[in-house]
Amino acid sequence: MEKITNENLLKMSTEGFLDNIKKAFNDVFSNGNIEKINLMNYLSESKWSNIKKNGLLLPFLSEKLGGRKDSQFEIQETLRIAGNYGVPITLRTGIEGALVLQPLVEYGNKEQIEKGLEMIFNGEGGGLAITEPNTSGSAIAKEMQSYYEYIDENTIHVKADKYWQGNSQSDFLLIAAKERKDGKLSKVISLILVPREYITYDVLNSEGLKAVRYAVNHVDTDIPAKYVIKLSESKANCLREFQNIFIRSRLQLVGMTHGIMEYIVKNIKKYAKVNIPFVKKELDEIETTYGVSKIMYKYVCNNICPEKSVSDKLMEANIIKSLATEYTYNAAKTAQKLLGAKGFEVGHPMSNVAIDFRPFTIFEGPNDMLYAEIFDQFSKATAVEKKEGIRIDKNATVYERFISDKRFSNISVNNFLNRADDLINFLKEYTLNEMDQIKKVFVGKILARLFLLIQTESDNLMKFLIKDIRKDMLEFEDCI
């Protein structure tokens, strides 16, 4: 590991290390250089490699493998800092850190980890290949058709078609696939470290995020069996481990969105005409949204640990992912509108933020689907409740479940009950068992905002969140 790690970076304090990351970005994106970089195209590998050499990915790597000491704060800060330089920059940081490096070191063996880290730190890195052209974001476990088949104990044949993976043309992909035996696909999913030499690409011409290389990836060849990464030797645990990758990624996503919010706030102030009353109102709403983002950012920094499983945080991950992306996208759209024609001018610092960010509301689960899942997770007993023998009464009201759910009570810092009688009455009016799929979406939205509301100490932010909850209540009642 010595050849990929600068020992000086490991000895730095958190403050010194993060200052070093900022300096590395500033060297590339300073006023003298930024005009030469078009983020609607791909950032050159030499520039990206220099940023990585200054420690960009070390917070994602455990100390025993040559990384920084386990610190969720450093992970989130690194993603936030990257977000201050544009959507594609923080996205690529998140792809290489959260979707490639973390799963590789968690599930890979010594040889696989060493090969992957060499390509990540000294090469062009890699991507995580999950979605498929024929199934898109459908249920991965049930519909995934990519497979690998043992030819002999040293060789497997891999047949996979994957698309919409960031870093698609980098040094390798971690490809999700099922084992095939006797012509039948197993339900068990593994990851396969597939070097670029075995992959062919059809480059995708995406609407945005052109600075992150997307493609349809094809693999249909024999490769060494040593590249198979078993997520678990237990079939029962395999899908749980696979899900764990995305739970952690969704939680950490707020580092990206928070940095992008800062990018929006910082840049819109330079260009919007604040002396116009309506413009000022909209700018104030962007600032308020930024305050909501701070709540989510603080939650992840304080409640998630890189060395601990997050399998018990599925509801919270879906809340963070859906609301962080919803609020940031709304801010990006408002900022683009306030710029007028400048908001559509190629090369303007704000022109491509909204179009680049929109996929965040779709990737890793469309937000409306996640809101419905939030309700499903809310209405089931948690792992702790199951151990305690607690069963959820499906005839209970949403309010009864809410006040009994420790995922909410354990993070509550205010008493909003006397601020919103209509909200309390709404929660008391409906039972868990009367929600169809459409109703689940709107109740899921309400629960997600309640999760933030109970962590809010600012009166202004409480009013903002209650206003949004009331909108969700109206939409719910429209669909009855």
Side-chain angles (χ1 to χ4, degrees), residues 18-34 37 50-51 81 84-85 266:
L18 295 173
D19 283 344
N20 187 68
I21 296 292
K22 292 176 189 175
K23 182 179 182 303
F25 276 115
N26 284 333
D27 287 345
V28 174
F29 296 100
S30 65
N31 290 335
N33 293 325
I34 190 66
I37 299 172
N50 183 63
I51 297 172
I81 291 167
N84 276 261
Y85 298 90
K266 178 176 63 180

Side-chain angles (χ1 to χ4, degrees), residues 416-434:
F416 74 91
L417 299 180
N418 59 356
R419 304 280 299 263
D421 288 344
D422 55 338
L423 168 56
I424 303 306
N425 291 336
F426 175 88
L427 297 176
K428 289 180 176 179
E429 185 175 352
Y430 299 100
T431 60
L432 300 176
N433 63 4
E434 62 182 292

